Amino acid sequence: FFQDYDGDGTLEYISLSSADLGYPKLKRKYYALDLFAERPFDGVWYGKLDYTFSRNYGNAEGQLLSDLGQADVSQTQNFDFPELMRDASGLLPNHRKHQIKALGMYQFAPEWIVSMRGIYASGRPRNCLGGYDYPDRATNPSVGYGSSFFICDGRPVPRGTFGNLPAVYSLDLGLRYAPKAVEGLQFAVDVYNVANRQSATGIWERRNQGTSVTTVSPDWGRVINYTAPRSIEFTLRYDWGRGRSRSSSDTASTGGALPNG
């Protein structure tokens, strides 16, 4: 900072470190162990099973602040005040301890392919965020941030230690038809989240109302985000390159196209 503190017209240089101001260092870490078994497509079927064990932890998610539902990129309130970062180190919103993915495809006829994709992921960690309840409450300007601190009912509750949301899982199915008569043409239908299971992926984690440290918000625990509901997608696709290749030469059919992705 440059500030004329003594009024003599000369700016004094003041240097303050993050430690002087009471700020911790920013930390965001991720590690994962990924194991998979895969069977290559042999003209009939393909399969892959993937398991990931991971941990995502630190004191800042990144450019968003999912704890508060704050989605204005790069403008979160993290590090606005040191008090906001107390007990902020722990499991981050993107933490999914276990993830399992299963992919499969079966060509039951030369022109027809069915496919499936199943996904399971552990629920994200929860927080309990409360109003500022420290000794200097009467004079500390961070009180105006309301129920944004890792303190709940008067006691510290470090990030990610208030349980977990439900696990997320879904099943997608697909069907492809690639007629031999028109090489390069493909019809497809995909059904996403067949069981229409809509799991909670975000809740209102602010326990107190306004700047209170005792009044419980009526929105406390309310679900604010779900996984996408069941949907159906129809696709008509023509691969111009394959169509021209077929029309210009008498090549044999490949027996159907592979599913997209």
Side-chain angles (χ1 to χ4, degrees):
F1 298 90
F2 289 92
Q3 179 70 40
D4 181 9
Y5 284 100
D6 53 15
D8 63 356
T10 301
L11 296 177
E12 284 78 42
Y13 172 67
I14 305 298
S15 176
L16 298 173
S17 67
S18 57
D20 293 332
L21 295 170
Y23 286 106
K25 292 183 178 180
L26 185 145
K27 180 173 67 176
R28 184 174 67 251
K29 302 289 185 180
Y30 174 82
Y31 66 77
L33 172 66
D34 188 74
L35 304 172
F36 71 91
E38 183 176 24
R39 184 187 190 279
F41 183 66
D42 62 353
V44 179
W45 72 281
Y46 164 86
K48 182 178 181 180
L49 183 64
D50 186 287
Y51 167 72
T52 303
F53 172 82
S54 62
R55 192 165 187 262
N56 183 208
Y57 63 99
N59 58 13
E61 178 185 3
Q63 297 193 79
L64 304 177
L65 191 59
S66 299
D67 309 318
L68 303 178
Q70 199 170 5
D72 41 348
V73 176
S74 77
Q75 299 185 55
T76 71
Q77 64 187 40
N78 279 337
F79 293 93
D80 280 7
F81 286 95
E83 293 79 7
L84 291 168
M85 305 310 297
R86 290 186 185 178
D87 295 302
S89 186
L91 297 175
L92 293 169
N94 287 324
H95 171 73
R96 302 281 185 179
K97 186 175 183 179
H98 302 289
Q99 295 184 68
I100 300 174
K101 299 177 183 179
L103 306 173
M105 177 180 68
Y106 176 61
Q107 185 166 342
F108 62 91
E111 299 175 329
W112 294 89
I113 291 178
V114 292
S115 61
M116 63 78 63
R117 180 181 64 174
I119 297 176
Y120 166 88
S122 302
R124 55 159 282 189
R126 293 178 55 184
N127 297 303
C128 182
L129 303 173
Y132 189 89
D133 192 24
Y134 296 106
D136 61 340
R137 171 178 171 81
T139 58
N140 196 307
S142 67
V143 171
Y145 279 67
S147 193
S148 300
F149 305 85
F150 290 93
I151 185 168
C152 193
D153 293 334
R155 61 183 179 87
V157 180
R159 177 191 292 278
T161 60
F162 204 72
N164 295 281
L165 293 181
V168 174
Y169 56 86
S170 67
L171 174 66
D172 305 332
L173 298 176
L175 178 66
R176 304 285 189 275
Y177 171 60
K180 288 184 177 181
V182 185
E183 190 72 14
L185 183 65
Q186 183 181 115
F187 301 92
V189 57
D190 292 281
V191 183
Y192 302 104
N193 191 9
V194 173
N196 198 32
R197 176 179 172 83
Q198 297 175 58
S199 302
T201 57
I203 63 172
W204 189 262
E205 299 185 340
R206 299 183 186 226
R207 180 166 174 78
N208 299 127
Q209 190 167 11
T211 59
S212 172
V213 297
T214 56
T215 304
V216 177
S217 169
D219 291 321
W220 161 246
R222 177 173 60 86
V223 179
I224 56 177
N225 297 110
Y226 290 93
T227 51
R230 179 173 52 233
S231 62
I232 302 177
E233 180 180 76
F234 297 93
T235 304
L236 172 61
R237 176 180 176 182
Y238 180 70
D239 188 332
W240 180 254
R242 291 187 62 186
R244 291 190 60 187
S245 174
R246 177 62 178 173
S247 63
S248 62
S249 63
D250 189 22
T251 56
S253 171
T254 60
L258 299 180
N260 297 331

